[in-house]
Amino acid sequence: MAAPSAKTKPPLGTAAKSRNRRLPPRDRAVVIAMVAVPTLFVVVLVWVPAILSMVLSFGAWNGIGDLDQITWIGTKNYEDIVQIYPPFWPAIQHNLIWLLFLFLGPTLLGMLLAVILDRNMRGGRFYQTAFYMPVVLSLALVGFIWQLFYSRDQGLINQVFNSEVDWYGDSSVNLWAVLVATAWRHTGYVMLIYLAGLKGVDSSLREAAAMDGASERQTFFRVVFPVMRPINMIVLVIVVIESLRAFDLVWVVNRGTNGLELIGALVAQNVVGEASRYGFGSALAVIMMLISTVFIAIYLRIVFKEERR
Amino acid sequence: MNQPRPGYQQIPASVLGMAASRRNVLRGGLLTGALLGSSTFLAACGGDSGGGDASGAVKFGMNEASGAGPAFDRLAQMAEAYAKKSGVKVDRNEVDHNTFQENINTYLQGNPDDVFTWFAGFRMNEFAEKGLISDVSDVWPIDGMADSFKTAATASDGKQYFVPKDYYPWAVFYKKSVFEKFGYVPPTDLAELMTLTKKMQGDDITPFAFADKDGWPAMGTFDILNMRINGFDFHMSLMAGDEEWDSAEVKQVFETWASLLPVHQADPLGRTWQEAATSMSKGECGMYLLGTFVVDAIPDDEDDLDFFTFPELDSSIGATALDAPIDGFCLSVAGKNQAGGKEMLKYLGTAEAADAGNKGTTPFIAANSNATTSGYSALQTKSAEVVGAAENIAQFLDRDTRADFATTVIIPSIQKFLDDPSDIDGVTKSIQEQKESIFV
């Protein structure tokens, strides 16, 4: 915190005010611009569309003709989604599975790989590159690559194991098949972030821990891991965001139907392309936004708590 | 979203396997390119002649992009031939097939080209009713164009809004060599079909290849079963939203389908139609109900392929109806050069235009009966005969009903049925509930 004069804790408002008064007009203009321009962008690019989506979600419109063509139907879209739209509940469930899986699978695995690779083993660079490689591929491409493994009749897995599993088609296994493909990419991503974090940990901390007779495991869990708290927050946020916006992979596989329903894919099915159910799709998008908001709220709470400390 | 539709027929087989994913990757870029492209054209070409002057440049929106193979070449050649003949400049706007289709609503309300490629039937009618495409009834009658095509080009107000270019039928394909080897004969009714499938199973052949990973191919099976069991008229009014989806008639279609599933390839939901075609090519499956574009996935078998129309299931209804989607052209209302566009449409419907398009490439089956057929393959000649003999022609489920209904309701529902064929009541009830909500 700036305010060097603050001996005790002054109320935040007065500190800000006194600082403001001291700023010369030119700096003030700069500050105002620096606040106003991003605010404008956020309002125009985030809030206005979000609010418009909310408004649209109470109407039925196929996008043809002017806005006066919208029929306002109240909460019917929401009622339909919850009551008669079969893909909705599976989609919610799949998004949550996605979230849990990303945490328990690739995130922990990525962390483990990072710890191992951080020990400067022989060929470490090679492994690092190999694990990171999938991250540079778009998820659409990942879906296609895995199709070569998963295809029921011509895929590698069934050929090698002489099995007949319909990896992408059987609605009880395809979600897991897709999750493995996601994990393939996500692990490398998390690994790299942790690797960077581990490199940033002051080596004197480890030495001190070693001096105190801590075992390697203790050093990691009691010393290194807590120090990496900012990295953990970043990874947490990335995982949550990745699983809420999960879309590309299932879209490539089968456009988010038959066991691969995700909210994002349902929004696209209804809005993108010829279907043009703008009201219905917007209602789905609003639901997605509400779910995201819950996670964002939790995140912000943690961050603010941190700052107050 | 019903994009990867039969229009795939026009994509070279070599690209097909990768098409889905590559297209998705490219889509964004292509779309941007297309939009930018068309607006620059607008600024640059100065063809905004306000509709009165037919000699100004005509903008031509194509649902094929350069590199899409014969499908692109044929459209490009037709456009060139018209430019040459009339002396009018034709500005081509080349867009990837699926991108074009997915963005059609925005396209038609933005700065559409004057003449653009589109489909006959319900999907044309929707645009006609919403005032997005122009009445072109003065282009009709077109010499050489049969009445069935005129009907397909007519909207609910009795006027024509469409000029047909080509078509292709959906039928049951098989390999002649396989049928000869085992002494199979194409069936003409249900009993014969069942005998044949039993024989095939005895020979260790899965009777029907089947795939529905993309969601649309199984619509063809629903269409043909409904047309055979309940008749063409019921099918069309069901598509138009005038019948109940949880009616006894529709349930019977699903029940018949469920009873036929054991003679279909298992696990269709993870298989693409190209893979299903390959299993027929390998002799693992005996038959495949698909559009003629099946050839694109197995080009080496073209000379060995033959087909029959799906046999009758009810003798009082017969086997006189089939799916044969018609592709062609419309004139957009927002197009700047209405007169010039109409002139071009008039040309595009002629046999001369069809011949120009078919010159030097794999031909399409021209809608115009005066077009030269000498370049046709045996399959195409037979297709033309079969469609010519059909009493009723449907356009395919996702072209005969509302796009939103087909995409967001029918695709998931049919997939659910294929996943668990026992819950027909649940599936039909769910379709009906959603139908009531969509068809207001």
Side-chain angles (χ1 to χ4, degrees):
Chain A
M1 284 255 116
S5 62
K7 271 174 212 145
T8 51
K9 242 189 178 180
L12 272 171
T14 52
K17 224 183 264 166
S18 59
R19 207 166 0 146
N20 248 354
R21 221 174 273 145
R22 260 183 273 136
L23 284 176
R26 199 179 145 168
D27 288 3
R28 262 177 81 166
V30 170
V31 169
I32 289 171
M34 282 169 76
V35 172
V37 172
T39 310
L40 190 76
F41 273 109
V42 169
V43 168
V44 171
L45 298 177
V46 178
W47 286 107
V48 169
I51 289 167
L52 286 181
S53 288
M54 270 185 223
V55 173
L56 259 182
S57 73
F58 294 105
W61 187 43
N62 62 6
I64 293 181
D66 291 328
L67 295 177
D68 58 356
Q69 297 289 315
I70 303 177
T71 343
W72 299 108
I73 53 172
T75 54
K76 186 165 180 299
N77 285 329
Y78 292 96
E79 285 160 27
D80 282 359
I81 287 172
V82 178
Q83 289 164 7
I84 65 167
Y85 189 52
F88 176 68
W89 291 110
I92 295 272
Q93 197 190 341
H94 296 160
N95 269 93
L96 291 177
I97 292 178
W98 203 282
L99 180 65
L100 281 177
F101 176 85
L102 280 197
F103 261 117
L104 299 178
T107 306
L108 295 182
L109 187 64
M111 199 192 293
L112 182 73
L113 288 174
V115 172
I116 296 171
L117 288 174
D118 189 41
R119 309 172 57 139
N120 292 325
M121 58 194 287
R122 202 145 53 101
R125 274 285 152 80
F126 171 76
Y127 292 119
Q128 197 175 320
T129 318
F131 288 123
Y132 190 70
M133 200 78 97
V135 183
V136 301
L137 304 173
S138 75
L139 271 172
L141 207 55
V142 171
F144 173 65
I145 291 171
W146 281 83
Q147 165 91 56
L148 302 174
F149 291 88
Y150 283 142
S151 163
R152 182 186 181 280
D153 303 340
Q154 295 154 27
L156 183 75
I157 299 180
N158 282 353
Q159 300 275 345
V160 169
F161 297 101
N162 217 0
S163 53
E164 275 201 335
V165 182
D166 189 5
W167 295 105
Y168 270 173
D170 185 336
S171 56
S172 57
V173 294
N174 57 5
L175 182 68
W176 301 102
V178 168
L179 282 173
V180 167
T182 313
W184 180 62
R185 182 172 180 271
H186 194 75
T187 308
Y189 193 18
V190 172
M191 178 200 75
L192 203 78
I193 296 172
Y194 271 116
L195 210 50
L198 286 169
K199 300 259 188 254
V201 173
D202 192 346
S203 55
S204 60
L205 279 175
R206 290 175 203 236
E207 283 158 20
M211 295 282 272
D212 289 344
S215 73
E216 199 142 338
R217 182 183 296 183
Q218 282 172 325
T219 314
F220 179 74
F221 284 109
R222 302 269 173 85
V223 179
V224 177
F225 190 73
V227 171
M228 287 200 301
R229 197 186 160 90
I231 302 285
N232 291 334
M233 281 317 292
I234 291 173
V235 170
L236 182 87
V237 173
I238 286 174
V239 171
V240 170
I241 291 175
E242 285 275 320
S243 46
L244 285 176
R245 65 161 202 189
F247 160 78
D248 341 33
L249 202 51
V250 300
W251 193 254
V252 181
V253 174
N254 66 7
R255 307 202 155 242
T257 59
N258 179 42
L260 294 185
E261 294 87 356
L262 290 176
I263 303 284
L266 295 187
V267 174
Q269 277 172 22
N270 281 284
V271 174
V272 180
E274 288 174 277
S276 304
R277 290 169 87 183
Y278 287 109
F280 196 80
S282 298
L284 282 165
V286 169
I287 293 175
M288 190 168 154
M289 189 160 77
L290 290 177
I291 298 174
S292 315
T293 313
V294 172
F295 286 103
I296 293 169
I298 295 173
Y299 168 68
L300 289 180
R301 242 186 98 114
I302 297 172
V303 170
F304 282 137
K305 227 188 217 166
E306 187 90 334
E307 296 221 322
R308 248 179 261 134
R309 232 181 249 165
Chain B
M1 190 194 60
N2 22 352
Q3 50 291 104
R5 71 183 60 226
Y8 257 154
Q9 64 162 342
Q10 295 138 340
I11 299 156
S14 57
V15 186
L16 272 174
M18 318 181 80
S21 51
R22 240 196 27 194
R23 280 170 175 238
N24 284 320
V25 179
L26 292 177
R27 180 166 300 150
L30 281 167
L31 169 62
T32 332
L35 292 176
L36 290 175
S38 61
S39 51
T40 5
F41 266 140
L42 185 69
C45 74
D48 316 351
S49 39
D53 178 14
S55 60
V58 179
K59 296 205 296 163
F60 182 41
M62 300 161 56
N63 61 350
E64 293 297 343
S66 177
F72 170 80
D73 299 338
R74 293 185 295 232
L75 282 174
Q77 286 175 12
M78 289 171 94
E80 269 162 30
Y82 176 66
K84 204 166 172 192
K85 185 176 182 227
S86 63
V88 171
K89 189 167 177 291
V90 178
D91 286 327
R92 300 197 314 234
N93 177 16
E94 302 158 6
V95 187
D96 160 72
H97 189 83
N98 290 343
T99 310
F100 187 88
Q101 200 164 329
E102 293 201 334
N103 295 290
I104 187 75
N105 284 350
T106 342
Y107 169 76
L108 287 180
Q109 297 182 85
N111 271 326
D113 306 296
D114 304 309
V115 176
F116 67 97
T117 47
W118 196 235
F119 315 124
F122 192 92
R123 306 304 312 286
M124 166 211 74
N125 189 40
E126 265 184 325
F127 291 145
E129 283 179 353
K130 283 166 185 156
L132 292 175
I133 52 177
S134 308
D135 170 11
V136 293
S137 35
D138 45 351
V139 171
W140 289 83
I142 299 171
D143 188 34
M145 207 66 89
D147 278 349
S148 55
F149 287 107
K150 187 169 180 182
T151 315
T154 308
S156 54
D157 61 359
K159 292 174 182 157
Q160 287 75 40
Y161 287 84
F162 180 79
V163 170
K165 174 183 85 178
D166 68 323
Y167 63 90
Y168 58 91
W170 276 63
V172 182
F173 287 81
Y174 62 90
K175 279 176 79 169
K176 283 186 275 194
S177 57
V178 172
F179 267 50
E180 267 164 35
K181 185 177 161 200
F182 294 97
Y184 302 146
V185 184
T188 55
D189 58 29
L190 185 60
E192 283 181 34
L193 178 69
M194 292 327 280
T195 322
L196 175 63
T197 56
K198 213 158 274 161
K199 235 194 250 174
M200 284 184 173
Q201 283 172 325
D203 296 327
D204 236 6
I205 294 174
T206 309
F208 281 100
F210 193 38
D212 197 34
K213 180 161 173 273
D214 301 313
W216 57 264
M219 290 174 170
T221 311
F222 178 87
D223 282 355
I224 202 74
L225 291 178
N226 195 23
M227 285 192 277
R228 291 290 179 270
I229 293 168
N230 298 313
F232 178 77
D233 294 336
F234 178 87
H235 179 65
M236 292 318 278
S237 69
L238 179 71
M239 291 298 114
D242 299 333
E243 302 284 345
E244 313 289 292
W245 277 81
D246 54 356
S247 62
E249 285 91 343
V250 178
K251 279 183 188 166
Q252 203 197 333
V253 173
F254 280 107
E255 277 154 19
T256 311
W257 197 352
S259 73
L260 288 172
L261 280 179
V263 299
H264 281 72
Q265 234 175 337
D267 300 338
L269 297 179
R271 192 180 292 117
T272 63
W273 66 263
Q274 290 94 337
E275 288 172 315
T278 310
S279 2
M280 180 173 71
S281 164
K282 285 188 194 159
E284 293 165 5
C285 297
M287 306 173 273
Y288 192 16
L289 171 67
L290 205 73
T292 46
F293 56 89
V294 67
V295 180
D296 292 341
I298 43 174
D300 295 343
D301 289 324
E302 177 158 7
D303 295 333
D304 194 16
L305 282 180
D306 200 353
F307 66 87
F308 55 88
T309 49
F310 197 86
E312 72 171 37
L313 300 177
D314 178 341
S315 56
S316 64
I317 283 167
T320 54
L322 77 164
D323 269 335
I326 303 169
D327 290 350
F329 308 96
C330 289
L331 182 63
S332 64
V333 165
K336 302 284 191 293
N337 191 353
Q338 292 289 313
K342 213 172 259 185
E343 280 304 309
M344 180 164 172
L345 269 185
K346 207 177 270 178
Y347 172 81
L348 290 172
T350 60
E352 189 187 339
D355 291 346
N358 278 342
K359 207 163 119 194
T361 66
T362 327
F364 54 65
I365 308 170
N368 195 311
S369 60
N370 294 340
T372 317
T373 58
S374 56
Y376 285 10
S377 67
L379 275 183
Q380 285 175 316
T381 314
K382 187 165 175 186
S383 301
E385 280 165 18
V386 165
V387 174
E391 275 172 33
N392 292 300
I393 296 171
Q395 297 294 314
F396 201 70
L397 198 151
D398 65 7
R399 295 187 184 189
D400 281 327
T401 192
R402 291 175 60 125
D404 49 2
F405 180 63
T407 319
T408 64
V409 180
I410 294 297
I411 288 183
S413 301
I414 288 185
Q415 289 189 330
K416 186 149 181 287
F417 162 73
L418 294 175
D419 193 30
D420 174 18
S422 62
D423 188 23
I424 291 172
D425 286 346
V427 167
T428 49
K429 180 169 166 274
S430 166
I431 299 179
Q432 175 63 17
E433 281 172 350
Q434 296 182 75
K435 186 220 117 181
E436 279 167 11
S437 175
I438 288 181
F439 286 78
V440 194

